[in-house]
Amino acid sequence: MLSKFCLCLLASAAGALGAALQTHDQGQFDPSSYSANNVVQTDFAIIGGGAAGSYAAIALKDQNQTFTLVEITDRLGGNTNTFRDPSTGAVVDFGVQIHLDTPIVRNFFSRLNSSLSHIQLSDFGLPKYFDFTQRVALPDYVRGNVGADYVALLDQYSYLADLNNLPAQVPSDLLLNWPDFAQKVGLSENSTTGGLNWPATPGDALTTSALAILNDGHRTKLAEFQGDGVRAANRDNSQIYRNALAEIQANVLLQSSIVAARRGSTPGSGVQLVANTPTGNKLISAKQLIIAFPYTPDRINAFGLDSREQSILSKISGKYYYGGVVNNTNLEAGVSYLNAGANTPYNTASVPGVVRFAPSASPGYYFYWYNTVSPLTRTQIESLTRSTIGFLESQINATASEPTFVAFKDFSPFHLAPSNTDIANGWYTQMKGLQGYRNTWYISAMFVVGSTQVWNNTANILPSIIEAANQY
């Protein structure tokens, strides 16, 4: 009898606690719980200020739409990173390097008061090859480039340039790793090697699927490397994002993140977001939500996913990739040091390791990229990179230096994708089906690789997002 009474008391207390917690949770979406200056009413909430989010913000502004952009860092631009030293005048891009010379690129740079110039591959230095893992020079190595047979594959699988167009039934050959795929279709050794060596392809290239290689090494990238590449004329690709921030500062919350969300299930029901900012929490009420950051499971959970969303978004993962800027080395001026395997298939560089050291327009400054299959700290990466610099200096009979690492960027999670099994089961079709669901839209580099295509995709989907907001 006493036990039954205690159980009743416990059940009653648990119910009361649950009701209290629910009331508290609901209270965080009550505008009366906030001061007036911490309540934001807007047409669109954009989460993430990288290439996609910044482009969307400027485009919406130009169409007289209101928006609030929430960015977790203290800047816009995402993986476009530029080291700028005000004392020496050094400027070094060490993230995004090249855009394609297309109207959308020229218009966006012009819109943000930044001029463009064409780029030549020689701008990145004379290539010299070394095996950074085995610590040997490869003086006679010439890296293979993709040829006509590779281009024919791009024509055959044209939908791979933008995975929004991927068929529901993905050809099984495309899910083979690249060397096995190349052997099966009879691809030349040069084209096979070229496909394995696209700049900034993360992870172990030998285990990367043909789908991922052809999506990365699409016609846009081919054109960029065949004379149609452009960059900021002042060698500062980040200038457009600084100019964008200066223009839309009043509508941007930097160093901020979403900690809670309530999203309507019907058109016109809108979304409410609680943003944690340096000055306290703010309540954002918007007609439509635009997710423009890498939406891996650990980053998307605060948005209150339902079972359908959870089943799709939980399957995304990214790879690990890093970059930085170093000076005070005794590396040869004008030389690009590239990592190639002395005894690996297709001379593929081993991971983990530095991908390349490339000279910049600022004398003495090199940018580098670091590829690994597991996460590393900045201290670990710079220690390993310092050791590689010492090896290279010994190979050119240069005096050992004490390098100075002046900038660093963790690009992870990089090249988001589900597993091959999920792709075979129609994941991309399911992901496309989430567009507009619960008044939420997904942009960024999920379906394409590179800022040029990200801007193009964002421009293509914005009319649908605006149309949805007009139903509010």
Side-chain angles (χ1 to χ4, degrees):
M1 185 74 174
L2 182 59
S3 297
K4 186 174 182 180
F5 176 70
C6 289
L7 288 173
C8 289
L9 282 178
L10 288 172
S12 177
L17 178 60
L21 288 174
Q22 185 177 15
T23 300
H24 173 73
D25 289 344
Q26 296 302 315
Q28 65 186 329
F29 300 111
D30 182 357
S32 66
S33 301
Y34 299 81
S35 61
N37 62 331
N38 284 329
V39 177
V40 180
Q41 293 281 347
T42 189
D43 291 333
F44 303 93
I46 306 170
I47 316 302
S54 297
Y55 186 92
I58 293 297
L60 290 170
K61 179 180 185 295
D62 289 347
Q63 296 180 62
N64 299 314
Q65 305 287 333
T66 63
F67 64 89
T68 296
L69 190 157
V70 180
E71 165 57 37
I72 198 169
T73 71
D74 62 356
R75 55 181 287 275
L76 300 183
N79 286 341
T80 300
N81 292 89
T82 307
F83 167 72
R84 304 171 76 242
D85 188 337
S87 62
T88 65
V91 177
V92 185
D93 281 325
F94 64 101
V96 174
Q97 297 289 321
I98 306 177
H99 303 281
L100 184 62
D101 188 3
T102 61
I104 198 166
V105 171
R106 289 204 166 272
N107 290 343
F108 195 46
F109 269 77
S110 175
R111 169 65 180 79
L112 293 169
N113 304 309
S114 181
S115 57
L116 287 164
S117 63
H118 275 88
I119 190 170
Q120 303 297 325
L121 293 186
S122 58
D123 292 344
F124 295 107
L126 174 69
K128 291 189 177 182
Y129 296 93
F130 298 82
D131 186 324
F132 294 170
T133 301
Q134 298 297 321
R135 299 293 176 101
V136 295
L138 303 175
D140 300 321
Y141 176 62
V142 177
R143 177 166 284 174
N145 293 313
V146 299
D149 54 346
Y150 181 95
V151 175
L153 287 175
L154 296 182
D155 292 337
Q156 180 181 350
Y157 300 109
S158 58
Y159 48 76
L160 293 182
D162 181 348
L163 299 182
N164 276 298
N165 302 321
L166 198 65
Q169 203 64 34
V170 179
S172 59
D173 284 358
L174 292 174
L175 302 180
L176 296 172
N177 66 53
W178 179 249
D180 287 349
F181 172 84
Q183 183 177 18
K184 183 170 184 178
V185 301
L187 200 63
S188 66
E189 184 170 352
N190 269 347
S191 287
T192 303
T193 301
L196 289 166
N197 287 290
W198 291 118
T201 296
D204 182 354
L206 292 173
T207 63
T208 300
S209 71
L211 183 149
I213 293 291
L214 294 170
N215 175 244
D216 186 0
H218 45 71
R219 281 190 175 275
T220 295
K221 183 168 286 186
L222 281 180
E224 289 172 351
F225 283 87
Q226 292 175 349
D228 289 331
V230 291
R231 65 178 169 191
N234 62 356
R235 308 294 179 92
D236 182 355
N237 281 329
S238 296
Q239 182 185 51
I240 57 171
Y241 295 107
R242 293 196 304 275
N243 291 351
L245 180 59
E247 183 174 331
I248 62 176
Q249 180 81 61
N251 304 108
V252 177
L253 301 175
L254 294 177
Q255 296 178 290
S256 302
S257 59
I258 301 303
V259 295
R262 185 165 66 178
R263 295 176 292 131
S265 59
T266 59
S269 54
V271 300
Q272 287 182 296
L273 308 167
V274 179
N276 179 255
T277 81
T279 59
N281 283 0
K282 294 183 182 293
L283 177 64
I284 303 171
S285 295
K287 297 177 181 178
Q288 297 291 299
L289 170 63
I290 302 173
I291 303 288
F293 63 92
Y295 24 92
T296 51
D298 59 318
R299 298 181 177 209
I300 199 75
N301 278 335
F303 291 84
L305 306 182
D306 66 14
S307 58
R308 175 184 172 188
E309 294 167 320
Q310 187 71 35
S311 68
I312 298 170
L313 296 172
S314 65
K315 295 174 180 176
I316 301 172
S317 62
K319 296 184 178 180
Y320 304 100
Y321 210 78
Y322 308 87
V325 179
V326 60
N327 70 349
N328 295 330
T329 75
N330 287 321
L331 299 176
E332 293 179 88
V335 171
S336 181
Y337 296 88
L338 299 169
N339 192 3
N343 301 303
T344 58
Y346 305 101
N347 297 104
T348 304
S350 300
V351 289
V354 177
V355 176
R356 64 164 54 197
F357 294 97
S360 72
S362 297
Y365 289 85
Y366 282 76
F367 75 83
Y368 68 91
W369 290 332
Y370 196 98
N371 188 14
T372 177
V373 295
S374 57
L376 295 173
T377 66
R378 176 175 182 172
T379 298
Q380 289 172 315
I381 290 167
E382 291 183 349
S383 175
L384 294 164
T385 301
R386 181 180 287 107
S387 176
T388 302
I389 291 172
F391 155 68
L392 293 172
E393 289 171 336
S394 73
Q395 293 297 297
I396 59 176
N397 298 317
T399 303
S401 64
E402 184 52 47
T404 302
F405 292 87
V406 296
F408 179 82
K409 170 67 176 179
D410 182 352
F411 298 118
S412 315
F414 203 50
H415 286 206
L416 299 181
S419 70
N420 284 347
T421 299
D422 292 324
I423 294 173
N425 290 333
W427 185 91
Y428 279 97
T429 298
Q430 297 167 31
M431 185 65 209
K432 284 186 293 183
L434 286 184
Q435 295 290 25
Y437 179 65
R438 297 181 69 195
N439 301 297
T440 303
W441 304 79
Y442 300 86
I443 57 178
S444 80
M446 173 59 72
F447 297 97
V448 295
V449 177
S451 295
T452 299
Q453 286 188 291
V454 167
W455 293 340
N456 190 64
N457 273 25
T458 303
N460 288 339
I461 199 171
L462 272 178
S464 297
I465 300 175
I466 294 172
E467 181 182 354
N470 290 336
Q471 300 177 34
Y472 192 81

